[in-house]
Amino acid sequence: MITLKNDFLEVDIHPKGAEIHKMVGLSDQMNYMWKRDKAYWANSAPILFPIVGKVINDTYRAEGKEYHLTQHGFARHNEFTVEETADDRVVLTLDNEKFKDVYPYDFKLTVTYTLDMNTLCCHIKVENKDDKTIYFGVGGHPAFACPMYENESSNDYYVEFEQPETLSRRLLDVENSVYNGETQPLLENEKRFFVRQEMFKDDAVVVTDFKSKSVSLKSINHNKAVTLHMENFNFLGIWATRQVGGLLALEPWRSHADDAGFTGELKDKEDIVSLPVDQTFECCFKIEITQ
């Protein structure tokens, strides 16, 4: 475990999945991350790579061959190498040395966490180390305590976009965890919606084409908040467990789960990143805590 600390926050990062385990405000001693309860969800904020969401039958095609990956890819299940540490910064890397049987491209994935006052910055960089264009999805999966206090209800919390939005959510074929082609209105020139467990009975609320660069989790009971800032992400997943488990995830993504009936290659998926030889892709999300 690597611990980052400044005058505002203390953050625990685990090399497995380059995952945020805790994010504690020093003025209130509150952990703003999900508590990793195995009864509901044993993770808290893994990095997603080289796919986001699920591929049909855990099978995808690349370079004319079939490969098998479980939901959200292999990065979240594997140990990153710790390249550099400081009081307020850590650099972790993962490459394709042991993943050739499930992903045919050579890459280097670098995740850098940096504390900046009351904000944790997660910078993600993918380098093409192959002799051909590589294709991938990438994203974050930070899950936050909702409610933040034990005597509250998650029904007192709402998700608020930076700007008024008109958005529809993409609907899943729940049995297969792929999109069925249907949508459902979510916001109509509005900024916020309240957290209701019923919204997640068919899995995550997934939206795209939003104008906002940030989205927040807030309560009607107090001024504490978590704000997710996003750079170079085109999709946002908002997820809670089907049970009342006390978490809400705000997930910035490039790419998403397969559409029902999809038969193309990885390179043909919507919003997949296409990275030429010797090029670099970068994206960033930041978690700002209001204590």
Side-chain angles (χ1 to χ4, degrees), residues 159-161 163-169 184-194 199 207 210 212 215 238:
V159 174
E160 183 174 78
F161 285 80
Q163 301 182 47
E165 302 279 0
T166 297
L167 298 172
S168 294
R169 65 179 293 188
Q184 182 181 78
L186 178 67
L187 295 173
E188 183 66 38
N189 195 31
E190 300 167 282
K191 294 179 68 173
R192 70 182 191 178
F193 64 86
F194 276 84
M199 299 181 70
V207 295
F210 44 85
S212 299
V215 60
I238 304 166

Side-chain angles (χ1 to χ4, degrees), residues 49-115:
F49 181 89
I51 60 171
V52 173
K54 191 175 178 64
V55 291
I56 296 171
N57 297 324
D58 292 336
T59 301
Y60 73 98
R61 290 153 295 281
E63 307 300 322
K65 297 181 180 180
E66 283 194 348
Y67 296 88
H68 303 284
L69 278 175
T70 56
Q71 187 169 15
H72 293 320
F74 53 71
R76 66 179 182 148
H77 298 300
N78 284 275
E79 294 276 335
F80 283 61
T81 299
V82 180
E83 301 284 0
E84 179 186 333
T85 59
D87 289 345
D88 61 355
R89 184 172 184 266
V90 62
V91 180
L92 307 107
T93 61
L94 190 72
D95 59 36
N96 206 28
E97 183 177 349
K98 60 180 180 179
F99 303 117
K100 281 289 192 178
D101 58 335
V102 295
Y103 185 66
Y105 302 112
D106 289 327
F107 69 91
K108 183 178 180 181
L109 171 62
T110 302
V111 178
T112 302
Y113 287 104
T114 308
L115 285 178

Side-chain angles (χ1 to χ4, degrees), residues 4-176:
L4 309 182
K5 190 173 182 179
N6 64 8
D7 292 337
F8 301 88
L9 297 170
E10 183 172 317
V11 178
D12 286 346
I13 308 288
H14 200 290
K16 183 179 179 181
E19 184 167 22
I20 310 162
H21 275 210
K22 289 184 179 180
M23 193 169 178
V24 177
L26 294 184
S27 69
D28 59 11
Q29 290 301 306
M30 177 177 288
N31 177 21
Y32 286 81
M33 301 302 297
W34 161 240
K35 61 186 178 181
R36 300 170 56 81
D37 185 342
K38 293 181 181 179
Y40 299 105
W41 190 51
N43 293 101
S44 50
I47 296 297
L48 315 182
F49 181 89
I51 60 171
V52 173
K54 191 175 178 64
V55 291
I56 296 171
N57 297 324
D58 292 336
T59 301
Y60 73 98
R61 290 153 295 281
E63 307 300 322
K65 297 181 180 180
E66 283 194 348
Y67 296 88
H68 303 284
L69 278 175
T70 56
Q71 187 169 15
H72 293 320
F74 53 71
R76 66 179 182 148
H77 298 300
N78 284 275
E79 294 276 335
F80 283 61
T81 299
V82 180
E83 301 284 0
E84 179 186 333
T85 59
D87 289 345
D88 61 355
R89 184 172 184 266
V90 62
V91 180
L92 307 107
T93 61
L94 190 72
D95 59 36
N96 206 28
E97 183 177 349
K98 60 180 180 179
F99 303 117
K100 281 289 192 178
D101 58 335
V102 295
Y103 185 66
Y105 302 112
D106 289 327
F107 69 91
K108 183 178 180 181
L109 171 62
T110 302
V111 178
T112 302
Y113 287 104
T114 308
L115 285 178
D116 180 12
M117 299 181 68
N118 63 331
T119 299
L120 176 66
C121 308
C122 178
H123 179 268
I124 301 172
K125 180 171 70 173
V126 183
E127 299 171 70
N128 183 346
K129 298 295 187 179
D130 215 312
D131 59 3
K132 56 184 174 294
T133 297
I134 70 172
Y135 304 93
F136 57 88
V138 65
H141 200 308
F144 306 105
C146 179
M148 297 175 187
Y149 291 102
E150 289 187 3
N151 61 349
E152 287 185 302
S153 166
S154 61
N155 288 335
D156 294 337
Y157 282 74
Y158 57 94
V159 174
E160 183 174 78
F161 285 80
E162 175 194 25
Q163 301 182 47
E165 302 279 0
T166 297
L167 298 172
S168 294
R169 65 179 293 188
R170 298 192 177 194
L171 298 180
L172 281 169
D173 170 354
V174 181
E175 182 178 350
N176 298 301

Side-chain angles (χ1 to χ4, degrees), residues 155-261:
N155 288 335
D156 294 337
Y157 282 74
Y158 57 94
V159 174
E160 183 174 78
F161 285 80
E162 175 194 25
Q163 301 182 47
E165 302 279 0
T166 297
L167 298 172
S168 294
R169 65 179 293 188
R170 298 192 177 194
L171 298 180
L172 281 169
D173 170 354
V174 181
E175 182 178 350
N176 298 301
S177 296
V178 295
Y179 295 111
N180 62 17
E182 298 179 6
T183 62
Q184 182 181 78
L186 178 67
L187 295 173
E188 183 66 38
N189 195 31
E190 300 167 282
K191 294 179 68 173
R192 70 182 191 178
F193 64 86
F194 276 84
V195 176
R196 296 291 182 265
Q197 213 67 31
E198 175 70 13
M199 299 181 70
F200 306 103
K201 65 179 178 64
D202 295 331
D203 215 312
V205 173
V206 177
V207 295
T208 189
D209 297 326
F210 44 85
K211 304 183 296 290
S212 299
K213 299 297 184 183
S214 65
V215 60
S216 300
L217 176 63
K218 297 181 176 181
S219 171
I220 61 174
N221 298 322
H222 51 74
N223 292 325
K224 295 184 185 299
V226 175
T227 299
L228 179 78
H229 303 271
M230 301 169 285
E231 298 177 16
N232 205 14
F233 293 102
N234 297 328
F235 281 82
L236 176 68
I238 304 166
W239 175 75
T241 58
R242 290 185 180 90
Q243 306 91 346
V244 181
L247 72 88
L248 190 122
L250 300 174
E251 308 173 38
W253 296 344
R254 288 298 303 264
S255 190
H256 55 76
D258 275 356
D259 295 311

